[in-house]
Structures are given as C-alpha cells and as structure tokens.
C-alpha cells in the first residue's frame, strides 16, 4: 500500500460559525452556521472516511486498528491528531482544555493541546490568549466577579500568524478569523465565559464549566517559547512552526511549493497534509495525484518518499508520539 489517503471532510454547525468555508474552499456545506470542518480525524464525533484507492470507504479510526502498518505500528490506542478548519463568523466562547492526566480522569479521553495557523483574519482582528491574574486566588475572584475586561489578554492577529495553545491556556478565537487547527484528538472544552449568548437552535445559553476551568487554567499564564524556523530551497519555502520537545504531541509545518520538492519519511512516520491554497501534484512511486485547495490527506508510513510540485501552500503535521 503506497497510496495517499484522501479524506472526506465532516462539517459541524456552531453558534459562532458562518458560511465562509464554502467560498474559501469550495466545500459543499450543509445548511446553517458551519463553524468547523473536521478535515483529518479518527475521533468518534467526526470520523474521516477515505475517498480513494483500495481503502475507499474505510474510516481513519478503523484503519488505525486494522492497518497499523500505515501509521508505523503505533503503540497508542487512538489516532492521536485532529486537523480542523474553523470559521469564526462570531467569537468563540472563552475556553480552556485539560491536559492528558485531567482529561483521562474526568472525561475518559486525551487532553487537548492545539495550535492555529491563521488562514485569514479581517483587519483589526484579535484573539484571546492567556490572562493577567498573578495567583490562583486572583484568578478565581476575577472569574467569580466576571471581571473579564481585566482578566483576559487580547492579542492582535493577522493572516499567516501561528499560535501554539498548550492545554491550560485560556483562549478564544474571535470574529473574522479563519484558522487551520492541529490538535490532539480530543473534544473536551471547558467553557469559562460565553458572552451571555443564547444558542438559536436550543433557545438556551450554552453550559459553562467554571470549576473545571479553574482546575485547569495555568496560573500565572506563561507564553510558550517557540522557535519558528524558516528556510528556502530554490523557489520553495519550508517553515517549521513547532516540533517536539517544545510541542510534545505534534510537529507542524508550512510548505510553500513552486517547484518539485522531494520529501522522505523517517521510519514509522506518517504525515497529515492540508492544501490551504493553490493547485499541484503529489507523486508517489511514479503515480500522480492531483492536489487542490481544500483537500486533506494522510501520507502513510508505508510511503518512504514522495514529491510535491505545482503552486501549493500546504500545512502538514506529524504526531510526536511513538
Ligand atoms: Zn480550543
């Protein structure tokens, strides 16, 4: 098996979602406010199905169990990563995610460290990242009095930015921002503040999780020390945003391709690929596969070498786990 696995996106309606994924990626969206495209997923809340080749019709989580060779014979029980595209027409709730230990104990799943590559941000956009409380007592009292204005840290954001959001980081994407998110395969979110909004579909406010948030939020907030590395080879540019050990769960890359580029897998590695712009070609063992904006695929561990060519802007990731 040396074929790429092209995957069918799964769309999720969200109170804060919009319709931009339709115009941006030409997706055939269901009705409603579509906030999330689950692009590469083995999570039960939105499983990716293979669309091409010998394994067409099979789901990533089943392949993880039945075709371990595709993923380098991993030890983990679940496909560890989840790639999404988020379209925030309105602001998301202010939230935090637990680490593996807390999530395992309270939710029976993985914790959630995530990161965002900003595909598009309207001028003047900002997001919430971190908080200003110095101690746990101060954090709890600002939460209890609802002093969001002083508690939450606002950061300006523009297209092309990258944010690493380890578990325990208070965060929110705000309106006018579209990101590609690479995260641990988890759907556990603790909602701290939701702007007192009412969900149109249910007529109710969404549930908050104050206790879990207070348990989970890192105090004081500390920005991660990222080491973003950019290099050019000919007309191509390669950026490494994060990788282990700084980011233990995944490495995330951007590849801007203008001429043929050859990639090799380290033994046991597989690669998640999302085409965020352009058109081009993937070649494996002399077979060509067309690539275009909005496609998502896995290049399995059974492929040792491949070539990308054309005019492509790609976000790729690899699991940090053995
Ligand atoms: Zn989040």
């Amino acid at each position: 098996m040396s074929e790429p696995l092209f995957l069918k996106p799964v769309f999720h309606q969200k109170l804060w979602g919009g319709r931009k994924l339709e115009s941006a990626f030409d997706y055939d969206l269901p009705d409603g406010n579509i906030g999330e495209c689950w692009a590469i997923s083995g999570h039960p809340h939105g499983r990716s199905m293979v669309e091409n080749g010998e394994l067409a019709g099979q789901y990533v989580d089943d392949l993880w169990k039945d075709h371990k060779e595709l993923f380098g014979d991993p030890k983990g029980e679940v496909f560890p990563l989840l790639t999404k595209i988020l379209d925030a027409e309105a602001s998301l709730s202010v939230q935090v995610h637990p680490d593996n230990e807390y999530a395992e104990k309270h939710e029976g799943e993985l914790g959630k460290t995530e990161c965002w590559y900003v595909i598009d941000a309207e001028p003047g956009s900002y997001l919430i990242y971190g908080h200003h409380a110095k101690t746990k007592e101060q954090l709890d009292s600002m939460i209890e009095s609802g002093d969001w204005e002083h508690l939450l840290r606002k950061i300006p954001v523009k297209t092309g930015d990258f944010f690493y959001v380890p578990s325990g980081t208070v965060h929110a994407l705000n309106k006018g921002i579209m990101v590609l998110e690479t995260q641990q395969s988890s759907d556990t979110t603790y909602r701290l503040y939701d702007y007192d909004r009412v969900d149109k579909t249910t007529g109710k406010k969404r549930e908050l999780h104050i206790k879990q948030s207070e348990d989970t939020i890192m105090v004081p907030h500390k920005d991660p020390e990222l080491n973003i590395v950019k290099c050019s080879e000919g007309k191509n540019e390669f950026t490494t945003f994060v990788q282990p050990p700084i980011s233990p769960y995944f490495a995330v890359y951007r590849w801007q391709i203008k001429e043929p580029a050859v990639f090799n897998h380290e033994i046991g590695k597989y690669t998640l690929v999302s085409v965020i712009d352009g058109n081009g070609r993937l070649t494996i063992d002399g077979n060509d596969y067309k690539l275009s904006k909005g496609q998502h695929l896995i290049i399995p561990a059974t492929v040792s070498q491949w070539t990308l060519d054309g005019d492509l802007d790609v976000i790729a990731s690899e699991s940090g786990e053995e």
Side-chain angles (χ1 to χ4, degrees), residues 177-193:
I177 302 174
M178 184 186 285
V179 301
L180 184 133
E181 178 172 88
T182 305
Q183 57 160 97
Q184 289 182 273
S185 182
S186 167
D187 203 18
T188 299
T189 292
Y190 297 140
R191 213 176 275 129
L192 178 61
Y193 175 50

Side-chain angles (χ1 to χ4, degrees), residues 86 92 95-97 112 114 116 165 169 171-172 181 183 188-189:
L86 279 70
L92 276 75
Q95 55 187 255
V96 62
H97 307 296
K112 183 163 156 186
E114 63 191 44
W116 305 319
V165 190
T169 307
H171 64 277
E181 178 172 88
Q183 57 160 97
T188 299
T189 292

Side-chain angles (χ1 to χ4, degrees), residues 154-204:
K154 293 178 180 177
I155 308 256
V157 53
K158 58 183 192 317
T159 302
D161 282 349
F162 178 83
F163 293 89
Y164 179 61
V165 190
S167 57
T169 307
V170 173
H171 64 277
L173 284 176
N174 282 347
K175 63 180 165 59
I177 302 174
M178 184 186 285
V179 301
L180 184 133
E181 178 172 88
T182 305
Q183 57 160 97
Q184 289 182 273
S185 182
S186 167
D187 203 18
T188 299
T189 292
Y190 297 140
R191 213 176 275 129
L192 178 61
Y193 175 50
D194 202 24
Y195 306 95
D196 299 314
R197 287 179 294 196
V198 171
D199 192 330
K200 260 191 267 163
T201 50
T202 61
K204 289 184 190 151

Side-chain angles (χ1 to χ4, degrees), residues 1-33:
M1 235 301 297
S2 55
E3 285 180 308
L5 309 172
F6 284 88
L7 302 170
K8 185 178 164 63
V10 177
F11 297 100
H12 288 276
Q13 175 135 349
K14 296 283 171 180
L15 146 111
W16 44 264
R19 303 292 302 170
K20 255 194 204 162
L21 292 172
E22 202 154 58
S23 51
F25 294 103
D26 225 3
Y27 291 139
D28 190 8
L29 294 188
D31 290 343
N33 298 325

